[in-house]
Amino acid sequence: MAMPNDLKFCSWNMRGHRNDRLLYLREIMSQCDILLVQEHWCLDSNIHLLASFVDDVHVIGVSSMDDSRLLGGRPYGGCAIMYKKSLDCNISLIPTHSKRLLAASFSLPSSSFNALLLNAYMPCDTRSDDQLSEFTTVLCEIDGLMSMHNCPEYVILGGDLNSDVSRAYSQHTSSLTDFCAASDLMFCNSSSLSSVVSTYENDSSGTRSLIDHFVVSENLFDGITKYSILDHGHNPSDHYPLLLELSVP
């Protein structure tokens, strides 16, 4: 029988790439193997900056902005995956249509483990028809990626999904939960080992919500060994880093 591989995943919406955020990436990477980053605000040409203060990591990513156009207003969006060079794995970028979605094939050469790894930064739940349409479009693309890769045996989806599952009347929430149920995907915060109550705190009002998530295929759910937030007082973002410890076959 093959021995399990213990992997540590983190997800963090960093809200920009100022030096304090880049330094904080180093602290998060010291506690995980693979980090999913949202809102890095980098162009495709400078995503490598995410590793400015982190040693011995690989970075792949997508920008939400067009390098060929003059940028007006503040930067926005973007997803990336950072992983340690010492990790015995292969992670290869899969092209996507949506700039809110980063997809990669993830395999462990030492075992037969192959997974579809997804990092998403979903639109805000503003009750706008346009936002809902974009939200469902990203879900449709995830569904298409799962089908294109012959319904991969394992799926790991993480990121700022901008949907609090406690919002019973939210169309975003119902779309997300219905999609996960139909795709045999399970929210990690439903695990008995989860200590996650909220992942985001509004700067002005101080209200908290659970909008960052890890969702895994049903056959990985029992492999969850820990699910928590990293609560550091010097976190420069209004999102807490989310930690998933997973024992994979």
Side-chain angles (χ1 to χ4, degrees):
M1 179 181 293
M3 296 299 291
N5 297 273
D6 295 320
L7 295 173
K8 294 181 180 180
F9 296 85
C10 273
S11 174
W12 185 46
N13 181 321
M14 63 188 294
R15 287 188 68 196
H17 57 268
R18 294 200 317 249
N19 278 4
D20 58 343
R21 284 148 169 79
L22 296 176
L23 283 166
Y24 195 62
L25 284 176
R26 181 170 65 187
E27 185 159 353
I28 299 174
M29 281 303 303
S30 71
Q31 300 187 52
C32 70
D33 303 304
I34 300 169
L35 171 59
L36 311 185
V37 174
Q38 304 86 45
E39 281 208 273
H40 52 61
W41 298 359
C42 293
L43 296 168
D44 284 322
S45 58
N46 64 359
I47 286 175
H48 64 277
L49 291 176
L50 297 176
S52 298
F53 299 104
V54 189
D55 296 327
D56 300 319
V57 295
H58 293 294
V59 181
I60 59 173
V62 292
S63 173
S64 286
M65 299 173 290
D66 188 346
D67 287 40
S68 63
R69 294 183 180 181
L70 183 65
L71 181 64
R74 75 167 180 82
Y76 58 90
C79 294
I81 297 175
M82 303 176 67
Y83 60 102
K84 292 178 176 175
K85 291 181 179 179
S86 59
L87 184 63
D88 183 20
C89 74
N90 293 321
I91 295 181
S92 302
L93 190 66
I94 300 171
T96 59
H97 295 291
S98 173
K99 290 182 176 293
R100 290 187 173 274
L101 181 65
L102 176 61
S105 61
F106 171 47
S107 63
L108 299 172
S110 58
S111 71
S112 59
F113 182 80
N114 288 278
L116 179 62
L117 182 60
L118 301 159
N119 180 11
Y121 171 51
M122 296 296 248
C124 293
D125 191 354
T126 60
R127 300 184 181 180
S128 147
D129 289 341
D130 289 342
Q131 296 286 63
L132 178 60
S133 175
E134 187 177 13
F135 190 93
T136 54
T137 296
V138 177
L139 292 181
C140 287
E141 181 161 16
I142 292 173
D143 185 55
L145 287 167
M146 292 170 63
S147 300
M148 281 173 56
H149 291 78
N150 300 316
C151 296
E153 187 176 3
Y154 303 105
V155 178
I156 301 168
L157 164 64
D160 180 0
L161 303 189
N162 260 317
S163 182
D164 192 323
V165 292
S166 67
R167 296 171 183 164
Y169 300 104
S170 164
Q171 288 183 287
H172 285 214
T173 295
S174 59
S175 296
L176 179 61
T177 53
D178 288 349
F179 169 76
C180 289
S183 306
D184 294 324
L185 300 174
M186 301 184 70
F187 287 88
C188 294
N189 64 284
S190 64
S191 167
S192 61
L193 298 175
S194 171
S195 61
V196 178
V197 177
S198 62
T199 59
Y200 168 78
E201 183 173 357
N202 186 283
D203 287 334
S204 56
S205 67
T207 57
R208 296 190 173 200
S209 55
L210 176 54
I211 58 175
D212 303 88
H213 298 277
F214 271 105
V215 181
V216 298
S217 49
E218 196 173 48
N219 51 7
L220 285 177
F221 187 76
D222 288 340
I224 297 172
T225 56
K226 185 177 182 180
Y227 194 57
S228 63
I229 60 170
L230 301 178
D231 191 1
H232 303 128
H234 52 283
N235 178 3
S237 173
D238 51 6
H239 290 255
Y240 293 100
L242 193 55
L243 172 67
L244 167 65
E245 293 188 10
L246 193 61
S247 182
V248 303

